[in-house]
């Protein structure tokens, strides 16, 4: 009989670590490779209510996160509204979150190796993985090493620049309880301030090619200075995220003979919000289920109706959300305005932050609530007229 090789997982972020946990806990021989293991990823680190409901062990780690219930939205012109979220967003340091998930994988029986895989090659009925100093064999490869990892090209072409987002930001050693999102004119992205337990992650994102990383950094630094965030002791970061177009989702490949991609490696990130943690964990879960059932080919099919269909809709919505017009103004301007004026719209925004409002029925909900939203918006405008002598004169 041929030797029984383990399943190799390349990448120790949330997707790779959860896949390792699920497979090892059912008796599979799993080896996870990551050159950094628990490390601080340059992102917000927000975990939605939807994610916490599906993966309650994250709620159990509340001491590692900051439960945020207030969010300030700012339009490109500077109009602001602060909303109270019905369901808190749990904001983790990615060092803490990755460490938590890797510890669970090790406890489930996965072997964790702090090594960098430099090459993957198919040899007869198995895979060979190479590091600078070692060589390993595997029966199956799960790639969970990010959108721009060079190993992706050993299975599929690199993700196109048109399907990527550039981020830049700072980890700032201050504390706040307010999450902030500043939308920008002409940019498919936004500035964020996410309050983590002992610092804030402040960053900016835009589609690759819209502007340079240097310009993004200057825009962010000017905004931070204007809003009272000192740079003393702050550390800079920059990162690339997938932000796939609808046509890319149409032909997306996530698996082949003896291999699969999950999380960012597969491009599974919301093109509107940049949120990827739920899709990372869910794709890991679906991939592990297919392998445990002995039908790895089922992974790609199971991903389509739930994950890819939703992200495809997000891709279609992204252009309109960031660059569209409605009621004679930009969608971003009107969104902040309606959030300020309408309780129904604030409830919708809260559900979007919670991850419980799907794109599949977002338009239908908007149509149903439009008369109420417009009535509440008009009532708010009339109240402003009644208290502002310049408006009422």
């Amino acid at each position: 009989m041929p030797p029984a090789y383990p399943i190799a997982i390349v990448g120790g972020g949330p997707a790779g670590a959860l896949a390792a946990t699920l497979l090892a806990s059912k008796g599979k021989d799993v080896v996870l490779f990551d050159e950094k293991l628990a490390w601080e990823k340059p992102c917000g680190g927000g975990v939605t209510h939807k994610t916490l409901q599906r993966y309650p062990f994250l709620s159990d780690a509340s001491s590692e996160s900051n439960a945020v219930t207030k969010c300030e939205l700012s339009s490109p012109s500077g109009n602001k509204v602060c909303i109270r979220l019905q369901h808190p967003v749990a904001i983790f340091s990615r060092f803490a979150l990755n460490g938590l998930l890797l510890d669970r994988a090790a406890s489930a029986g996965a072997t964790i190796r702090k090594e960098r895989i430099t090459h993957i090659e198919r040899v007869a009925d198995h895979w060979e993985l190479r590091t600078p100093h070692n060589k390993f064999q595997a029966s199956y490869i799960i790639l969970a090493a990010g959108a721009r990892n060079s190993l992706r090209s050993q299975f599929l072409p690199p993700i196109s620049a048109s399907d990527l987002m550039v981020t830049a930001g700072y980890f700032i050693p201050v504390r706040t309880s307010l999450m902030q999102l500043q939308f920008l004119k002409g940019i498919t992205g936004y500035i964020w301030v996410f309050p983590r337990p002992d610092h804030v992650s402040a960053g900016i994102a835009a589609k690759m090619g819209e502007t340079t990383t240097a310009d993004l950094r200057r825009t962010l630094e000017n905004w931070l200075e204007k809003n009272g965030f000192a740079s003393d002791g702050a550390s800079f970061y920059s990162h690339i995220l997938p932000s796939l177009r609808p046509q890319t989702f149409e032909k997306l490949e996530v698996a082949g003979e003896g291999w699969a991609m999950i999380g960012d490696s597969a491009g599974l990130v919301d093109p509107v919000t940049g949120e990827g943690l739920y899709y990372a964990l869910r794709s890991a879960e679906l991939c592990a289920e297919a392998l445990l059932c002995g039908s790895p080919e089922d992974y790609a099919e199971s991903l389509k109706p739930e994950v890819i269909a939703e992200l495809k809709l997000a891709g279609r919505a992204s252009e309109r959300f960031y660059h569209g017009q409605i009621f004679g103004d930009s969608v971003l301007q009107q969104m902040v305005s309606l959030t300020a004026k309408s309780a129904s719209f604030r409830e919708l925004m809260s559900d979007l932050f919670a991850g419980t409002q799907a794109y599949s029925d977002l338009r239908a909900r908007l149509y149903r609530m439009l008369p109420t939203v417009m009535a509440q918006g008009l009532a708010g405008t009339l109240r402003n007229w009644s208290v502002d002598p310049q408006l009422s004169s």
Side-chain angles (χ1 to χ4, degrees):
M1 292 180 61
Y5 296 115
I7 296 170
I9 299 175
V10 182
L18 182 61
T21 301
L22 296 173
L23 291 166
S25 66
K26 297 298 184 181
K28 293 292 185 181
D29 186 5
V30 179
V31 182
L32 183 150
F33 299 89
D34 193 291
E35 62 180 305
K36 299 178 182 178
L37 296 182
W39 59 289
E40 187 56 86
K41 183 177 179 180
C43 67
V47 178
T48 64
H49 177 67
K50 177 182 179 179
T51 308
L52 295 173
Q53 281 188 310
R54 185 159 195 98
Y55 306 102
F57 64 86
L58 294 174
S59 296
D60 296 339
S62 57
S63 62
E64 302 288 350
S65 66
N66 190 14
V68 173
T69 58
K70 293 189 299 180
C71 180
E72 181 185 81
L73 304 175
S74 300
S75 72
S77 68
N79 294 337
K80 298 178 185 292
V81 59
C82 187
I83 62 173
R84 183 166 292 278
L85 304 177
Q86 182 179 357
H87 300 290
V89 175
I91 302 181
F92 283 81
S93 157
R94 285 300 297 270
F95 178 83
L97 180 61
N98 289 7
L100 166 71
L101 287 159
L102 285 167
D103 287 346
R104 293 183 80 252
S107 296
T111 299
I112 311 295
R113 299 192 68 97
K114 188 177 181 180
E115 295 192 61
R116 180 170 63 93
I117 299 297
T118 57
H119 184 75
I120 299 173
E121 183 179 354
R122 187 72 175 177
V123 178
D125 63 345
H126 66 278
W127 297 93
E128 283 194 357
L129 301 89
R130 297 175 193 163
T131 74
H133 306 291
N134 294 300
K135 184 166 68 174
F136 301 89
Q137 289 76 40
S139 61
Y140 195 89
I141 301 283
I142 298 176
L143 190 63
R148 270 294 180 94
N149 188 281
S150 61
L151 296 172
R152 189 181 193 277
S153 62
Q154 297 180 340
F155 302 93
L156 293 172
I159 296 177
S160 164
S162 301
D163 290 313
L164 293 171
M165 178 176 285
V166 180
T167 70
Y170 289 93
F171 299 125
I172 305 174
V174 297
R175 294 189 179 189
T176 177
S177 61
L178 181 66
M179 182 166 63
Q180 295 173 265
L181 299 178
Q182 169 72 63
F183 297 102
L184 305 164
K185 186 176 181 180
I187 294 293
T188 309
Y190 52 88
I191 290 172
W192 70 82
V193 174
F194 274 29
R196 294 175 170 188
D198 61 354
H199 67 278
V200 301
S201 169
I204 186 171
K207 287 285 282 188
M208 185 173 283
E210 283 183 332
T211 185
T212 66
T213 302
D215 285 340
L216 282 178
R217 184 173 180 174
R218 280 192 291 270
T219 298
L220 175 63
E221 289 172 346
N222 290 337
W223 187 91
L224 290 172
E225 182 178 2
K226 181 180 177 181
N227 286 271
F229 289 95
S231 59
D232 297 344
S235 55
F236 177 74
Y237 64 77
S238 182
H239 194 59
I240 302 295
L241 290 175
S243 180
L244 306 190
R245 296 164 294 165
Q247 59 266 39
T248 305
F249 280 118
E250 290 282 356
K251 55 186 179 181
L252 185 65
E253 294 183 70
V254 298
E257 183 64 34
W259 63 270
M261 295 185 186
I262 57 178
D264 285 13
S265 289
L268 304 179
V269 171
D270 186 323
V272 175
T273 65
E275 199 277 318
L277 279 171
Y278 175 80
Y279 302 107
L281 296 172
R282 186 63 179 135
S283 62
E285 187 179 6
L286 291 171
C287 184
E289 287 175 355
L291 286 168
L292 290 170
C293 290
S295 303
E297 66 278 3
D298 289 349
Y299 164 58
E301 288 304 311
S302 65
L303 205 64
K304 288 179 181 178
E306 178 184 343
V307 174
I308 293 180
E310 181 73 359
L311 293 177
K312 191 188 303 180
L313 289 172
R316 291 174 183 163
S318 179
E319 179 64 24
R320 182 165 180 78
F321 180 79
Y322 284 105
H323 304 290
Q325 297 281 315
I326 186 172
F327 304 143
D329 208 340
S330 75
V331 169
L332 294 172
Q333 288 288 143
Q334 292 289 7
M335 178 187 69
V336 173
S337 177
L338 290 172
T339 302
K341 295 175 181 177
S342 167
S344 298
F345 207 84
R346 286 193 291 277
E347 184 178 346
L348 170 64
M349 293 301 295
S350 182
D351 288 345
L352 286 169
F353 277 104
T356 56
Q357 174 58 60
Y359 290 105
S360 57
D361 62 351
L362 177 58
R363 178 179 292 184
R365 181 176 178 181
L366 285 168
Y367 279 134
R368 288 195 305 270
M369 63 187 286
L370 186 59
T372 302
V373 169
M374 296 307 293
Q376 291 172 338
L378 178 60
T381 300
L382 291 174
R383 282 195 298 271
N384 288 339
W385 283 348
S386 67
V387 300
D388 189 328
Q390 291 184 337
L391 289 174
S392 59
S393 61

